[in-house]
Amino acid sequence: MEPVEIEAKTLIQKSKTPSNDYVINPYTGCVLGCAYCFASFAGRQFGRSAQEWGDYLYVKKNAVELARKELAKMPEDKRRGTMLLSSVTDPYQGHETKYRLTRGILRELERVEYPGLVRILTKSPVVTRDIDLLTSLPRAEVGMSVTTTDDKVSRWLEVRAPLASRRLRTLAELKKACIPTYAFVGPLLPHFATQPELLDDLFGRLVDAGVGEVFMEHINLKRYIRERMDQVLAGEPEGVREAYLQARTKEHRDQLDAIVAELLDKHGLRLRFEEVVHHDDNDSLRQRLRSSQ
């Protein structure tokens, strides 16, 4: 799959996600092609359907130049905001090794000594390439998306993403470099409700990798995601398919929340936002965060 190079008009956007003020997406699309990804809507502007998620990538070749210009225009008081890379793409997917857009953007943030928190969210070990820049920024943290310790499960759900075991090793490498880390357990896989020992194992492995805090989110099963998930689940055992059907209910989410609470306490992990986030509740969560500031 050959990426398409484009000229973007803007780069730094106001964020719609809780706890982030701004977001930078150096790419549109993501070749990792995770079946559950809510961002599969992102290619609409290029006429791409949700079913094509993972089969296209648009590279904002002028992203570093835009970062330089937009940071220069950003008022000092606005620079205190949290900057996320990225919300609807992976900033370290494979083509980053060629285009180096994320690295270039981090260099611009370092150059202006951006005082706000720079937050990375990725599934890729390529992030360790930029340890030098991440440790030079006034404030930076890296979140690694880890949904399971089972490489077989990560392979059918996350298609071309780095194996779960490799992501756990990456977290340990970042921790060794004294970079604050967290794990994004999102989505919280529905079959954990009937197999809590799998979540127990995941939490244990995260602690072993030096993680002290997790951000957790229930699976988003809006129609455009559900249609893709149904194709992936077609060949899975009946119990797994049933769990994903039940995941649409509040009862199922409450059951998972209780399991999560018990296991967090067991492993001494902190839960970011003090709740497992549900996509329908993002607006209320954002409001609570603002009122607490």
Side-chain angles (χ1 to χ4, degrees), residues 203-220:
F203 283 177
R205 295 281 295 278
L206 289 173
V207 171
D208 289 344
V211 171
E213 185 176 34
V214 292
F215 170 24
M216 304 188 71
E217 188 172 73
H218 286 293
I219 193 167
N220 184 337

Side-chain angles (χ1 to χ4, degrees), residues 167-281:
R167 287 178 246 166
L168 288 164
R169 292 199 300 273
T170 299
L171 281 166
E173 292 174 46
L174 293 165
K175 185 70 174 181
K176 186 176 180 180
C178 298
I179 295 172
T181 61
Y182 68 97
F184 177 41
V185 183
L188 180 58
L189 299 182
H191 63 271
F192 287 157
T194 54
Q195 296 175 282
E197 69 277 6
L198 300 179
L199 186 59
D200 189 9
D201 182 57
L202 173 56
F203 283 177
R205 295 281 295 278
L206 289 173
V207 171
D208 289 344
V211 171
E213 185 176 34
V214 292
F215 170 24
M216 304 188 71
E217 188 172 73
H218 286 293
I219 193 167
N220 184 337
L221 287 175
K222 290 184 178 179
R223 182 175 178 178
Y224 73 97
I225 302 171
R226 200 164 63 238
E227 289 173 350
R228 295 176 61 244
M229 285 294 299
D230 287 345
Q231 295 177 4
V232 174
L233 290 167
E236 294 306 308
E238 181 179 353
V240 173
R241 297 199 306 272
E242 180 62 26
Y244 280 80
L245 286 173
Q246 293 299 318
R248 306 173 196 177
T249 68
K250 184 178 185 301
E251 290 76 16
H252 185 272
R253 293 194 298 272
D254 289 345
Q255 181 183 1
L256 275 174
D257 285 347
I259 293 170
V260 167
E262 180 180 345
L263 292 177
L264 288 172
D265 185 63
K266 174 182 176 181
H267 292 282
L269 284 165
R270 298 184 303 277
L271 180 61
R272 186 163 289 192
F273 308 135
E274 299 182 347
E275 66 179 83
V276 181
V277 176
H278 184 230
H279 60 92
D280 288 342
D281 297 331

